[in-house]
Amino acid sequence: MLHVDGELIGTIHSQSIVVIGKRGVLKGELKADKIVVNGYFEGELEANSLEILTGGIVDGNIVIQELSVENGGKFNGSSKIKEETKLIENNQE
């Protein structure tokens, strides 16, 4: 698990959980199995599960399977559903 509580600009690819804490600011590209945002994220995001908590802000484009936004959480951008069927179709070719 990666927990971000400072400011980070760049690319993160993780097979696990990434948490952006209340004081965390992450700008760039983020790919992970599960992402929890309690601070601020700006950029491109891809995950199986995204949770935007009450104080969290996500500003950018997301590709996800599951999205949860708590009351008070904010999302500004575009979203696409990450479909598992694409993986199956690619493996059959």
Side-chain angles (χ1 to χ4, degrees):
M1 181 170 100
L2 173 66
H3 191 101
V4 178
D5 256 340
E7 185 170 340
L8 181 63
I9 299 172
T11 302
I12 296 175
H13 291 194
S14 174
Q15 303 256 337
S16 187
I17 300 169
V18 175
V19 176
I20 301 173
K22 281 189 176 187
R23 295 185 203 114
V25 175
L26 180 55
K27 297 180 181 180
E29 179 181 307
L30 175 57
K31 291 184 180 180
D33 179 50
K34 180 176 181 178
I35 300 169
V36 179
V37 180
N38 200 15
Y40 179 77
F41 174 82
E42 178 183 319
E44 304 290 322
L45 183 150
E46 183 175 339
N48 292 324
S49 174
L50 170 63
E51 291 181 40
I52 303 173
L53 302 180
T54 299
I57 299 171
V58 173
D59 190 5
N61 304 315
I62 63 173
V63 179
I64 49 156
Q65 284 182 338
E66 297 176 10
L67 173 63
S68 171
V69 182
E70 286 186 355
N71 194 15
K74 296 178 181 161
F75 169 65
N76 180 37
S78 67
S79 64
K80 291 186 179 178
I81 297 172
K82 182 178 178 182
E83 296 184 25
E84 294 177 276
T85 54
K86 289 182 181 178
L87 298 174
I88 295 168
E89 289 172 5
N90 288 339
N91 289 337
Q92 291 178 349
E93 292 178 8

